[in-house]
Amino acid sequence: NDVRYISTSNNKVEVWSRTDESDKVTNEVNTTIDYTPDVAKSNGTITVDNGDKKTITWTIEANKKPKVSMGGATITDTIAESSRGIMKYSGNGIHVVVKNASGATIRTNDIAWNELTNKTDSTWTYTVPESDKDNAYSYTISYTTEADFKGKTSFTEVDNGVSTSFGGSDTGD
């Protein structure tokens, strides 16, 4: 599903004097506007601190300034290889807030882990509903992970990334 929209325009302007055509000036302007949906991942925020075990809330923003539809596109979250030994997804699933270009909330959905397109201990994929294909919406997705820092004696960072079927990616820590 190609959800990108790229517009290219070329303009050429020639100006010269009525009396001296050798005084001709040519200027060419080529402009490309890429409306490929963006994606951003926040750094995680510790929302529950039970000593060694910490619940971290993560937020993904996709198509923040919607110009094109993401209907049918996928958003995939992946826990970094270096963090998989201490961090796992937690809670019941993901929370999705869908807004139109003016910022009005269209809907909110709580999607259980087992209802996602793909879910393992280290990755999940959300498929934007095909029914959104005629609308340019933004998607804010939040979810939690649990990290167990037992036995860690120094600062330990956990990393988590996001990618989309339209080529965007970002990492939070």
Side-chain angles (χ1 to χ4, degrees):
N1 184 23
D2 188 1
V3 294
R4 296 174 291 157
Y5 177 76
I6 299 173
S7 174
T8 302
S9 63
N10 301 309
N11 290 310
K12 183 176 181 179
V13 177
E14 294 181 335
V15 179
W16 60 90
S17 165
R18 287 185 183 177
T19 58
D20 182 6
E21 198 169 308
S22 68
D23 198 21
K24 184 172 164 179
V25 176
T26 302
N27 192 11
E28 197 166 338
V29 177
N30 300 313
T31 304
T32 300
I33 301 171
D34 185 348
Y35 289 121
T36 302
D38 60 329
V39 66
K41 175 92 170 239
S42 71
N43 288 336
T45 303
I46 296 174
T47 50
V48 177
D49 188 342
N50 289 327
D52 290 336
K53 289 192 177 185
K54 306 199 184 312
T55 300
I56 303 167
T57 298
W58 303 88
T59 303
I60 296 168
E61 291 185 275
N63 211 19
K64 189 173 181 176
K65 295 180 180 177
K67 302 284 186 209
V68 296
S69 169
M70 286 186 64
T74 58
I75 300 168
T76 301
D77 187 87
T78 305
I79 295 173
E81 186 80 37
S82 60
S83 300
R84 292 178 186 173
I86 60 173
M87 187 166 69
K88 305 277 185 245
Y89 296 112
S90 64
N92 296 321
I94 65 173
H95 180 74
V96 182
V97 178
V98 181
K99 294 183 178 182
N100 65 18
S102 64
T105 299
I106 301 302
R107 68 176 182 274
T108 61
N109 301 101
D110 289 312
I111 303 170
W113 294 123
N114 65 355
E115 295 175 7
L116 294 169
T117 305
N118 177 41
K119 163 66 171 68
T120 68
D121 286 342
S122 60
T123 191
W124 56 259
T125 299
Y126 168 67
T127 301
V128 176
E130 287 285 344
S131 58
D132 288 0
K133 70 180 177 182
D134 294 328
N135 299 289
Y137 293 144
S138 69
Y139 301 84
T140 302
I141 302 171
S142 57
Y143 63 94
T144 60
T145 58
E146 184 175 88
D148 187 349
F149 294 97
K150 186 174 183 174
K152 302 293 180 193
T153 57
S154 62
F155 176 78
T156 302
E157 185 173 87
V158 289
D159 294 313
N160 195 339
V162 65
S163 62
T164 63
S165 59
F166 50 81
S169 65
D170 195 20
T171 303
D173 53 55

